[in-house]
Every structure is written in structure tokens, then in C-alpha cells.
Amino acid sequence: MRQKLFEPEYVLDLRSLAALRGIKPDSQGGVEIGALTTLRAIERSDFLRRHYPVLTEAAGTVASPVLRNMGTIGGNICLDTRCLWYNQSLAWRKGCGFCIKKDGDLCHVAPGGSKCWAAFSGDTPPALLCLNAEIEIAGAAGPRRVALKDFYTGLGDNYRKLATNDLVTRVFLPASSADYRGVYRKLRVRGSIDYPLAGVAVVLKQSSNGNGRGHIADARIGITAVNPAPLLVKGAGELLAGQIINEELAEAAGDLVARTAKPLTTSALTPEYRREMIRVFTKRAVLAAAGN
Ligand SMILES: Cc1cc2nc3c(=O)[nH]c(=O)nc-3n(C[C@H](O)[C@H](O)[C@H](O)COP(=O)(O)OP(=O)(O)OC[C@H]3O[C@@H](n4cnc5c(N)ncnc54)[C@H](O)[C@@H]3O)c2cc1C
Ligand code: SF4
């Protein structure tokens, strides 16, 4: 609002809605997380760390401890997309020329196009996508439940399917995604506070062969900050399932993810560097998740 990116007539403080806070395991072995649950509560939850470790790790990398004390999982899911040409003061944007995302009709990143490529830059959604999360949205017609993978549009300017009066109220993680090993890795300029400029979440289920290094029964990879929406990487499960993780396979996973990532000049680091780093981070995350 200080940068005049939003000029709302009213601002609604949701903090007093206590019913939307808390982490509640359900009777089927899944869990329900209230949208107003802070990122710190998620990062600190023993239940989530034990059963959904990729989420506690991703939540623990958001911004800084002070921001995680205030920031909520619902806000992180709904976070606006980011771009070097957009997250600027009004005077700066006026000087350079307004763009499609606000007040203008051109894109500085992809001139000639009509699409906004601002990057979705939340840390928890790739982890939640790997866990097949669903969200509940309360609207004028009552509550509805949608898969998180269907919530994002892939457009930088109109990035989420949320009507003006809609509120995200709860997040659901199914029992079928519990107890996967999970790792989240992110590239950022300042390790102590920054948004991701490339982020990757990996979850794996291994069959046990006695020393904890069995074949992969199931695997999912989610990415953030390199496209206008967080994504589940197509083909990751097929690539890894039935295999034993080694350097070569982890490198192949990195190549697949680098092909899915479409970083553009929306941030302080170059697209080439971000693409290369998501390849490297994916390899490391796959090896770490497999216990190598
Ligand atoms: C300096 C700084 C660094 C940051 N670094 C990171 C980072 O590294 N990684 C990261 O992921 N984020 C980062 N953030 C963003 C932010 O702190 C987190 O995303 C946080 O989770 C946002 O939660 P919030 O509750 O404050 O949401 P808000 O910022 O209040 O809301 C974000 C958006 O979601 C909407 N919204 C919020 N709650 C709901 C709801 N329940 N239903 C519907 N819409 C809703 C708001 O209207 C707004 O459009 C950073 C922010 C700052 C200021
Ligand atoms: S990607 Fe283009 S339209 Fe979108 S915010 Fe950046 S400059 Fe504006």
C-alpha cells in the first residue's frame, strides 16, 4: 500500500478470527490447518515436522523470524506475484512507464506480449503442492474446497482464483501424503530474510531395504519463484519411481526441473543463473531427501 500498488477503500484485519487458527490432526490421519495459523506455529509444530517435514522446512525459510510471527499460511498461499518492474514506488513506476500488472498495457520483461510474467514467490505452496493439499474458500455462496494445484492461474497479474469477497479459511493435508521424506531448498540474495528467487520442494517415499535406502515408491517435486505460479513438475514421479537414488538420477531430476522453470528478468538475479541454481538445488534436494 505504501508503494501505491493497492489503494483499498477498506482494510480488514482477520486476526481476531480465532476459529481460523490452529493445527488439528483429523481422525483419518490427515491434518487441518487454519488459514490464520502463523508460519512460526507451523515451523514449530512437532506433529507437522514428524509427518509433513517438507512443510515445516519451507515455512521456516519464509522471510525472517519476526515476519513469521505475524505472517500466516493463508497469506503465504495468496501472496501477490513479484517483479522488478512492479514492486517499486509510484514515482519509479511512473518514470519507467506503468505495466500490465498495474495501470499500464505493456510488459517491460516481455515487450510485445500481452501477458504478465511476474513470479509467484511464496515458499510454502511448492511444499503444499507436493503434499496434495486442498484449501477451503469461504465465499458469498458458502464454503468450497479446491485442490491447491487448481487455485493458481499461471498469469502474473491475475494469479489466483479468488473472488473479491472470498476468504481462504483452511488448508487440508491428506493422510496419503503423510510420512514422506521432504526437503525444501531456496535461492535468495540475503539468507536471513529474502523471498525465493528459485525454490524447490521434494518429497519421496522409499521402500525399506533395511538400511533406509530403498527403491523410490513415490516422488513429487514442486517449484516456486521461477514461473507466474507454483507448479508440480510433470514427469518427476515417473522419473524417480522404482529407482534407487544416486548422483546421476538426482542430476536427471535437476535437468527436468530446469526445463520446467521459465525464469525471466523479473528479479535481481539473471534468468540464466536462476535456472542453473534450480537445477543444482533440485539435485541436492533429491539426494538429501533420499538420505544420501
Ligand atoms: C521483507 C519481507 C520479506 C519476505 N520474505 C518472504 C519470503 O522469503 N518468502 C515468502 O513466502 N514470503 C515472504 N514475505 C511475504 C510474507 O511475509 C509472507 O508471505 C506471509 O506468509 C504473508 O502472510 P500474511 O498473513 O502477512 O499475508 P498478507 O501479506 O496480509 O496477505 C498477502 C495477500 O493474501 C491476501 N490474504 C491474506 N490472508 C488471506 C486469506 N485468509 N484469504 C484470502 N486472502 C488472504 C491478502 O489480501 C494479500 O493479497 C516477505 C515479506 C516481507 C515484508
Ligand atoms: S512481468 Fe511485465 S507486466 Fe508483469 S509486472 Fe513485470 S513488467 Fe509488469
Side-chain angles (χ1 to χ4, degrees):
M1 281 188 280
R2 276 201 306 270
Q3 292 177 323
K4 297 273 190 286
L5 297 171
F6 303 97
E7 295 156 278
E9 198 175 342
Y10 302 102
V11 176
L12 205 61
D13 183 354
L14 305 176
R15 266 180 306 182
S16 58
L17 301 177
L20 299 189
R21 261 197 306 274
I23 299 164
K24 299 177 194 144
D26 66 33
S27 53
Q28 282 95 46
V31 65
E32 173 192 317
I33 305 173
L36 297 189
T37 308
T38 64
L39 294 161
R40 183 165 175 83
I42 289 170
E43 177 191 0
R44 291 288 176 106
S45 160
D46 288 336
F47 176 86
L48 292 177
R49 173 159 297 109
R50 204 168 329 118
H51 298 294
Y52 301 98
V54 71
L55 178 60
T56 50
E57 188 172 0
T61 71
V62 173
S64 67
V66 173
L67 287 152
R68 295 198 291 277
N69 284 340
M70 289 288 288
T72 64
I73 186 83
N76 200 236
I77 289 169
C78 295
L79 191 64
D80 196 9
T81 54
R82 295 180 62 77
C83 176
L84 261 188
W85 298 90
Y86 167 72
N87 298 96
Q88 303 287 353
S89 68
L90 178 62
W92 195 99
R93 285 181 290 122
K94 215 179 204 168
C96 289
F98 294 119
C99 71
I100 295 167
K101 191 156 163 73
K102 180 141 172 48
D103 299 329
D105 56 8
L106 58 89
C107 174
H108 300 286
V109 167
S114 57
K115 179 175 170 179
C116 168
W117 291 92
F120 181 85
S121 306
D123 282 303
T124 64
L128 293 169
L129 287 171
C130 284
L131 298 171
N132 287 340
E134 293 187 345
I135 56 174
E136 181 188 72
I137 299 173
R144 61 188 191 276
R145 200 160 151 163
V146 297
L148 186 64
K149 69 178 172 43
D150 299 326
F151 180 62
Y152 300 104
T153 63
L155 304 172
D157 52 341
N158 190 12
Y159 60 98
R160 57 188 184 180
K161 294 178 192 159
L162 210 56
T164 313
N165 292 330
D166 283 350
L167 192 64
V168 175
T169 44
R170 293 185 287 174
V171 181
F172 303 96
L173 304 181
S176 55
S177 293
D179 304 326
Y180 277 58
R181 299 175 75 134
V183 169
Y184 179 68
R185 293 286 179 269
K186 76 187 257 192
L187 172 69
R188 52 181 160 180
V189 176
R190 296 165 296 181
S192 57
I193 191 165
D194 272 328
Y195 286 93
L197 296 179
V200 58
V202 173
V203 300
L204 301 175
K205 190 152 250 179
Q206 282 168 300
S207 58
S208 179
N209 65 356
N211 64 6
R213 283 176 164 206
H215 288 86
I216 300 300
D218 191 20
R220 299 175 208 141
I221 300 181
I223 54 175
T224 188
V226 281
N227 296 78
L231 297 175
L232 269 179
V233 176
K234 286 197 184 111
E238 291 78 356
L239 176 73
L240 300 176
Q243 311 284 339
I244 290 188
I245 298 292
N246 56 25
E247 287 261 330
E248 208 178 22
L249 192 58
E251 234 163 72
D255 290 344
L256 176 69
V257 169
R259 284 197 298 277
T260 308
K262 302 265 178 294
L264 295 175
T265 53
T266 52
S267 80
L269 300 180
T270 65
E272 293 77 12
Y273 184 64
R274 284 158 67 208
R275 186 190 300 280
E276 190 50 32
M277 289 313 289
I278 204 151
R279 185 198 312 276
V280 170
F281 281 0
T282 301
K283 177 183 171 187
R284 289 180 191 165
V286 168
L287 289 171
N292 291 23

mmCIF file of all heavy atoms in Angstrom, residues 102-141:
data_model
loop_
_atom_site.group_PDB
_atom_site.id
_atom_site.type_symbol
_atom_site.label_atom_id
_atom_site.label_comp_id
_atom_site.label_asym_id
_atom_site.label_seq_id
_atom_site.Cartn_x
_atom_site.Cartn_y
_atom_site.Cartn_z
ATOM 1 N N LYS A 102 -0.214 -3.296 -13.318
ATOM 2 C CA LYS A 102 -0.976 -2.196 -12.717
ATOM 3 C C LYS A 102 -0.878 -0.927 -13.558
ATOM 4 O O LYS A 102 0.210 -0.449 -13.840
ATOM 5 C CB LYS A 102 -0.476 -1.915 -11.283
ATOM 6 C CG LYS A 102 -1.229 -0.783 -10.612
ATOM 7 C CD LYS A 102 -1.490 -1.038 -9.153
ATOM 8 C CE LYS A 102 -2.079 0.169 -8.427
ATOM 9 N NZ LYS A 102 -3.202 0.820 -9.074
ATOM 10 N N ASP A 103 -2.004 -0.459 -13.976
ATOM 11 C CA ASP A 103 -2.186 0.861 -14.604
ATOM 12 C C ASP A 103 -1.674 0.998 -16.037
ATOM 13 O O ASP A 103 -1.840 2.048 -16.648
ATOM 14 C CB ASP A 103 -1.548 1.980 -13.745
ATOM 15 C CG ASP A 103 -2.170 2.057 -12.367
ATOM 16 O OD1 ASP A 103 -3.369 1.742 -12.269
ATOM 17 O OD2 ASP A 103 -1.466 2.402 -11.402
ATOM 18 N N GLY A 104 -0.994 -0.023 -16.602
ATOM 19 C CA GLY A 104 -0.445 0.133 -17.957
ATOM 20 C C GLY A 104 -0.861 -0.986 -18.884
ATOM 21 O O GLY A 104 -1.654 -1.855 -18.524
ATOM 22 N N ASP A 105 -0.322 -0.970 -20.110
ATOM 23 C CA ASP A 105 -0.711 -2.017 -21.067
ATOM 24 C C ASP A 105 0.492 -2.641 -21.769
ATOM 25 O O ASP A 105 0.365 -3.252 -22.818
ATOM 26 C CB ASP A 105 -1.711 -1.462 -22.095
ATOM 27 C CG ASP A 105 -1.163 -0.249 -22.813
ATOM 28 O OD1 ASP A 105 0.037 0.071 -22.625
ATOM 29 O OD2 ASP A 105 -1.918 0.392 -23.564
ATOM 30 N N LEU A 106 1.694 -2.462 -21.223
ATOM 31 C CA LEU A 106 2.863 -3.114 -21.823
ATOM 32 C C LEU A 106 3.638 -3.859 -20.744
ATOM 33 O O LEU A 106 3.447 -3.623 -19.556
ATOM 34 C CB LEU A 106 3.772 -2.076 -22.505
ATOM 35 C CG LEU A 106 4.314 -0.948 -21.635
ATOM 36 C CD1 LEU A 106 5.621 -1.324 -20.987
ATOM 37 C CD2 LEU A 106 4.486 0.304 -22.466
ATOM 38 N N CYS A 107 4.490 -4.790 -21.199
ATOM 39 C CA CYS A 107 5.318 -5.546 -20.255
ATOM 40 C C CYS A 107 6.782 -5.213 -20.528
ATOM 41 O O CYS A 107 7.245 -5.350 -21.659
ATOM 42 C CB CYS A 107 5.059 -7.040 -20.424
ATOM 43 S SG CYS A 107 6.159 -8.049 -19.420
ATOM 44 N N HIS A 108 7.520 -4.760 -19.505
ATOM 45 C CA HIS A 108 8.948 -4.438 -19.680
ATOM 46 C C HIS A 108 9.799 -5.700 -19.804
ATOM 47 O O HIS A 108 10.895 -5.672 -20.345
ATOM 48 C CB HIS A 108 9.453 -3.633 -18.474
ATOM 49 C CG HIS A 108 8.729 -2.339 -18.287
ATOM 50 N ND1 HIS A 108 8.930 -1.248 -19.093
ATOM 51 C CD2 HIS A 108 7.795 -1.965 -17.384
ATOM 52 C CE1 HIS A 108 8.161 -0.256 -18.695
ATOM 53 N NE2 HIS A 108 7.457 -0.665 -17.661
ATOM 54 N N VAL A 109 9.270 -6.821 -19.266
ATOM 55 C CA VAL A 109 10.033 -8.067 -19.245
ATOM 56 C C VAL A 109 9.912 -8.793 -20.588
ATOM 57 O O VAL A 109 10.895 -9.319 -21.102
ATOM 58 C CB VAL A 109 9.515 -8.962 -18.087
ATOM 59 C CG1 VAL A 109 10.025 -10.377 -18.199
ATOM 60 C CG2 VAL A 109 9.912 -8.346 -16.750
ATOM 61 N N ALA A 110 8.712 -8.824 -21.117
ATOM 62 C CA ALA A 110 8.476 -9.473 -22.421
ATOM 63 C C ALA A 110 7.752 -8.472 -23.314
ATOM 64 O O ALA A 110 6.542 -8.587 -23.532
ATOM 65 C CB ALA A 110 7.652 -10.739 -22.233
ATOM 66 N N PRO A 111 8.488 -7.472 -23.837
ATOM 67 C CA PRO A 111 7.840 -6.416 -24.625
ATOM 68 C C PRO A 111 7.170 -7.025 -25.859
ATOM 69 O O PRO A 111 7.687 -7.964 -26.444
ATOM 70 C CB PRO A 111 9.004 -5.496 -25.036
ATOM 71 C CG PRO A 111 10.153 -5.883 -24.188
ATOM 72 C CD PRO A 111 9.946 -7.306 -23.770
ATOM 73 N N GLY A 112 6.042 -6.475 -26.227
ATOM 74 C CA GLY A 112 5.337 -7.003 -27.398
ATOM 75 C C GLY A 112 4.278 -8.021 -27.009
ATOM 76 O O GLY A 112 3.339 -8.256 -27.749
ATOM 77 N N GLY A 113 4.447 -8.635 -25.822
ATOM 78 C CA GLY A 113 3.464 -9.628 -25.373
ATOM 79 C C GLY A 113 2.342 -8.952 -24.592
ATOM 80 O O GLY A 113 2.432 -7.777 -24.233
ATOM 81 N N SER A 114 1.293 -9.747 -24.333
ATOM 82 C CA SER A 114 0.176 -9.177 -23.566
ATOM 83 C C SER A 114 0.018 -9.887 -22.227
ATOM 84 O O SER A 114 -0.949 -9.689 -21.526
ATOM 85 C CB SER A 114 -1.121 -9.299 -24.374
ATOM 86 O OG SER A 114 -1.328 -10.659 -24.695
ATOM 87 N N LYS A 115 1.013 -10.740 -21.885
ATOM 88 C CA LYS A 115 0.916 -11.484 -20.633
ATOM 89 C C LYS A 115 1.868 -10.905 -19.584
ATOM 90 O O LYS A 115 2.971 -10.482 -19.919
ATOM 91 C CB LYS A 115 1.262 -12.960 -20.907
ATOM 92 C CG LYS A 115 1.218 -13.824 -19.667
ATOM 93 C CD LYS A 115 1.436 -15.306 -19.942
ATOM 94 C CE LYS A 115 1.614 -16.037 -18.614
ATOM 95 N NZ LYS A 115 1.813 -17.468 -18.770
ATOM 96 N N CYS A 116 1.426 -10.913 -18.325
ATOM 97 C CA CYS A 116 2.320 -10.536 -17.224
ATOM 98 C C CYS A 116 3.020 -11.798 -16.721
ATOM 99 O O CYS A 116 2.379 -12.810 -16.451
ATOM 100 C CB CYS A 116 1.506 -9.889 -16.100
ATOM 101 S SG CYS A 116 2.457 -9.707 -14.579
ATOM 102 N N TRP A 117 4.358 -11.715 -16.581
ATOM 103 C CA TRP A 117 5.173 -12.862 -16.165
ATOM 104 C C TRP A 117 5.696 -12.729 -14.744
ATOM 105 O O TRP A 117 6.623 -13.453 -14.349
ATOM 106 C CB TRP A 117 6.361 -13.027 -17.127
ATOM 107 C CG TRP A 117 5.930 -13.463 -18.484
ATOM 108 C CD1 TRP A 117 5.631 -12.660 -19.548
ATOM 109 C CD2 TRP A 117 5.709 -14.808 -18.928
ATOM 110 N NE1 TRP A 117 5.239 -13.414 -20.628
ATOM 111 C CE2 TRP A 117 5.287 -14.740 -20.281
ATOM 112 C CE3 TRP A 117 5.817 -16.058 -18.318
ATOM 113 C CZ2 TRP A 117 4.977 -15.875 -21.021
ATOM 114 C CZ3 TRP A 117 5.517 -17.186 -19.064
ATOM 115 C CH2 TRP A 117 5.103 -17.086 -20.405
ATOM 116 N N ALA A 118 5.114 -11.817 -13.950
ATOM 117 C CA ALA A 118 5.594 -11.643 -12.568
ATOM 118 C C ALA A 118 5.618 -13.005 -11.869
ATOM 119 O O ALA A 118 4.728 -13.837 -12.073
ATOM 120 C CB ALA A 118 4.677 -10.680 -11.831
ATOM 121 N N ALA A 119 6.643 -13.232 -11.050
ATOM 122 C CA ALA A 119 6.876 -14.583 -10.500
ATOM 123 C C ALA A 119 6.164 -14.790 -9.171
ATOM 124 O O ALA A 119 6.292 -13.968 -8.251
ATOM 125 C CB ALA A 119 8.376 -14.800 -10.331
ATOM 126 N N PHE A 120 5.459 -15.906 -9.048
ATOM 127 C CA PHE A 120 4.906 -16.268 -7.744
ATOM 128 C C PHE A 120 6.073 -16.596 -6.821
ATOM 129 O O PHE A 120 6.940 -17.395 -7.170
ATOM 130 C CB PHE A 120 3.960 -17.480 -7.839
ATOM 131 C CG PHE A 120 3.391 -17.810 -6.499
ATOM 132 C CD1 PHE A 120 2.264 -17.150 -6.042
ATOM 133 C CD2 PHE A 120 4.023 -18.711 -5.653
ATOM 134 C CE1 PHE A 120 1.763 -17.392 -4.774
ATOM 135 C CE2 PHE A 120 3.530 -18.963 -4.377
ATOM 136 C CZ PHE A 120 2.401 -18.295 -3.941
ATOM 137 N N SER A 121 6.117 -16.007 -5.633
ATOM 138 C CA SER A 121 7.322 -16.100 -4.809
ATOM 139 C C SER A 121 7.047 -16.508 -3.361
ATOM 140 O O SER A 121 7.756 -16.090 -2.446
ATOM 141 C CB SER A 121 8.070 -14.762 -4.840
ATOM 142 O OG SER A 121 8.312 -14.378 -6.175
ATOM 143 N N GLY A 122 6.034 -17.337 -3.161
ATOM 144 C CA GLY A 122 5.766 -17.857 -1.817
ATOM 145 C C GLY A 122 6.546 -19.153 -1.606
ATOM 146 O O GLY A 122 6.727 -19.930 -2.544
ATOM 147 N N ASP A 123 6.974 -19.398 -0.366
ATOM 148 C CA ASP A 123 7.781 -20.596 -0.087
ATOM 149 C C ASP A 123 6.951 -21.832 0.235
ATOM 150 O O ASP A 123 7.378 -22.952 -0.067
ATOM 151 C CB ASP A 123 8.722 -20.325 1.102
ATOM 152 C CG ASP A 123 9.933 -19.513 0.685
ATOM 153 O OD1 ASP A 123 10.653 -19.950 -0.219
ATOM 154 O OD2 ASP A 123 10.151 -18.433 1.267
ATOM 155 N N THR A 124 5.783 -21.661 0.894
ATOM 156 C CA THR A 124 5.084 -22.888 1.311
ATOM 157 C C THR A 124 4.278 -23.559 0.187
ATOM 158 O O THR A 124 4.125 -24.787 0.230
ATOM 159 C CB THR A 124 4.149 -22.652 2.535
ATOM 160 O OG1 THR A 124 3.117 -21.736 2.164
ATOM 161 C CG2 THR A 124 4.922 -22.136 3.733
ATOM 162 N N PRO A 125 3.773 -22.829 -0.825
ATOM 163 C CA PRO A 125 2.960 -23.523 -1.839
ATOM 164 C C PRO A 125 3.650 -24.681 -2.569
ATOM 165 O O PRO A 125 2.997 -25.711 -2.797
ATOM 166 C CB PRO A 125 2.524 -22.384 -2.778
ATOM 167 C CG PRO A 125 2.368 -21.242 -1.826
ATOM 168 C CD PRO A 125 3.571 -21.376 -0.931
ATOM 169 N N PRO A 126 4.943 -24.627 -2.935
ATOM 170 C CA PRO A 126 5.508 -25.815 -3.583
ATOM 171 C C PRO A 126 5.500 -27.029 -2.649
ATOM 172 O O PRO A 126 5.277 -28.163 -3.100
ATOM 173 C CB PRO A 126 6.940 -25.392 -3.939
ATOM 174 C CG PRO A 126 7.230 -24.200 -3.108
ATOM 175 C CD PRO A 126 5.924 -23.522 -2.879
ATOM 176 N N ALA A 127 5.712 -26.798 -1.360
ATOM 177 C CA ALA A 127 5.653 -27.902 -0.392
ATOM 178 C C ALA A 127 4.221 -28.419 -0.280
ATOM 179 O O ALA A 127 3.977 -29.633 -0.293
ATOM 180 C CB ALA A 127 6.162 -27.423 0.968
ATOM 181 N N LEU A 128 3.262 -27.493 -0.213
ATOM 182 C CA LEU A 128 1.859 -27.903 -0.102
ATOM 183 C C LEU A 128 1.406 -28.653 -1.354
ATOM 184 O O LEU A 128 0.637 -29.611 -1.274
ATOM 185 C CB LEU A 128 0.968 -26.661 0.115
ATOM 186 C CG LEU A 128 1.162 -25.951 1.461
ATOM 187 C CD1 LEU A 128 0.453 -24.596 1.453
ATOM 188 C CD2 LEU A 128 0.615 -26.816 2.607
ATOM 189 N N LEU A 129 1.891 -28.229 -2.522
ATOM 190 C CA LEU A 129 1.541 -28.936 -3.761
ATOM 191 C C LEU A 129 2.068 -30.371 -3.722
ATOM 192 O O LEU A 129 1.387 -31.306 -4.119
ATOM 193 C CB LEU A 129 2.116 -28.203 -4.978
ATOM 194 C CG LEU A 129 1.422 -26.893 -5.362
ATOM 195 C CD1 LEU A 129 2.221 -26.164 -6.447
ATOM 196 C CD2 LEU A 129 0.000 -27.142 -5.842
ATOM 197 N N CYS A 130 3.294 -30.542 -3.239
ATOM 198 C CA CYS A 130 3.872 -31.891 -3.126
ATOM 199 C C CYS A 130 3.048 -32.774 -2.197
ATOM 200 O O CYS A 130 3.066 -33.994 -2.311
ATOM 201 C CB CYS A 130 5.294 -31.822 -2.579
ATOM 202 S SG CYS A 130 6.507 -31.272 -3.769
ATOM 203 N N LEU A 131 2.356 -32.137 -1.241
ATOM 204 C CA LEU A 131 1.569 -32.902 -0.267
ATOM 205 C C LEU A 131 0.112 -33.053 -0.703
ATOM 206 O O LEU A 131 -0.740 -33.484 0.068
ATOM 207 C CB LEU A 131 1.640 -32.208 1.104
ATOM 208 C CG LEU A 131 3.054 -32.124 1.706
ATOM 209 C CD1 LEU A 131 3.067 -31.242 2.947
ATOM 210 C CD2 LEU A 131 3.580 -33.525 2.036
ATOM 211 N N ASN A 132 -0.186 -32.674 -1.961
ATOM 212 C CA ASN A 132 -1.564 -32.744 -2.497
ATOM 213 C C ASN A 132 -2.548 -31.986 -1.606
ATOM 214 O O ASN A 132 -3.659 -32.479 -1.310
ATOM 215 C CB ASN A 132 -2.033 -34.195 -2.644
ATOM 216 C CG ASN A 132 -1.345 -34.881 -3.809
ATOM 217 O OD1 ASN A 132 -0.831 -34.204 -4.708
ATOM 218 N ND2 ASN A 132 -1.308 -36.197 -3.807
ATOM 219 N N ALA A 133 -2.176 -30.798 -1.174
ATOM 220 C CA ALA A 133 -3.028 -30.012 -0.269
ATOM 221 C C ALA A 133 -4.292 -29.532 -0.972
ATOM 222 O O ALA A 133 -4.310 -29.313 -2.184
ATOM 223 C CB ALA A 133 -2.243 -28.804 0.241
ATOM 224 N N GLU A 134 -5.330 -29.386 -0.169
ATOM 225 C CA GLU A 134 -6.562 -28.725 -0.633
ATOM 226 C C GLU A 134 -6.802 -27.523 0.266
ATOM 227 O O GLU A 134 -6.341 -27.510 1.416
ATOM 228 C CB GLU A 134 -7.751 -29.681 -0.538
ATOM 229 C CG GLU A 134 -7.635 -30.854 -1.500
ATOM 230 C CD GLU A 134 -8.887 -31.726 -1.531
ATOM 231 O OE1 GLU A 134 -9.738 -31.605 -0.616
ATOM 232 O OE2 GLU A 134 -9.006 -32.512 -2.454
ATOM 233 N N ILE A 135 -7.518 -26.541 -0.265
ATOM 234 C CA ILE A 135 -7.865 -25.394 0.576
ATOM 235 C C ILE A 135 -9.374 -25.207 0.580
ATOM 236 O O ILE A 135 -10.053 -25.562 -0.382
ATOM 237 C CB ILE A 135 -7.171 -24.084 0.117
ATOM 238 C CG1 ILE A 135 -7.477 -23.774 -1.352
ATOM 239 C CG2 ILE A 135 -5.678 -24.152 0.352
ATOM 240 C CD1 ILE A 135 -6.942 -22.410 -1.806
ATOM 241 N N GLU A 136 -9.849 -24.640 1.693
ATOM 242 C CA GLU A 136 -11.267 -24.280 1.772
ATOM 243 C C GLU A 136 -11.366 -22.780 1.568
ATOM 244 O O GLU A 136 -10.593 -22.016 2.156
ATOM 245 C CB GLU A 136 -11.828 -24.667 3.145
ATOM 246 C CG GLU A 136 -13.312 -24.351 3.285
ATOM 247 C CD GLU A 136 -13.781 -24.557 4.710
ATOM 248 O OE1 GLU A 136 -13.419 -23.739 5.592
ATOM 249 O OE2 GLU A 136 -14.504 -25.537 4.961
ATOM 250 N N ILE A 137 -12.311 -22.386 0.706
ATOM 251 C CA ILE A 137 -12.533 -20.963 0.445
ATOM 252 C C ILE A 137 -13.968 -20.639 0.849
ATOM 253 O O ILE A 137 -14.911 -21.311 0.409
ATOM 254 C CB ILE A 137 -12.317 -20.641 -1.051
ATOM 255 C CG1 ILE A 137 -10.877 -20.983 -1.459
ATOM 256 C CG2 ILE A 137 -12.627 -19.177 -1.341
ATOM 257 C CD1 ILE A 137 -10.610 -20.874 -2.950
ATOM 258 N N ALA A 138 -14.122 -19.627 1.709
ATOM 259 C CA ALA A 138 -15.468 -19.198 2.096
ATOM 260 C C ALA A 138 -15.854 -18.027 1.208
ATOM 261 O O ALA A 138 -15.092 -17.068 1.067
ATOM 262 C CB ALA A 138 -15.483 -18.786 3.564
ATOM 263 N N GLY A 139 -17.012 -18.141 0.575
ATOM 264 C CA GLY A 139 -17.486 -17.060 -0.300
ATOM 265 C C GLY A 139 -18.942 -16.786 -0.042
ATOM 266 O O GLY A 139 -19.563 -17.414 0.824
ATOM 267 N N ALA A 140 -19.506 -15.880 -0.833
ATOM 268 C CA ALA A 140 -20.904 -15.497 -0.641
ATOM 269 C C ALA A 140 -21.835 -16.706 -0.777
ATOM 270 O O ALA A 140 -22.866 -16.780 -0.114
ATOM 271 C CB ALA A 140 -21.278 -14.418 -1.651
ATOM 272 N N ALA A 141 -21.457 -17.677 -1.629
ATOM 273 C CA ALA A 141 -22.323 -18.849 -1.841
ATOM 274 C C ALA A 141 -22.030 -19.973 -0.856
ATOM 275 O O ALA A 141 -22.538 -21.078 -1.014
ATOM 276 C CB ALA A 141 -22.153 -19.345 -3.269
#
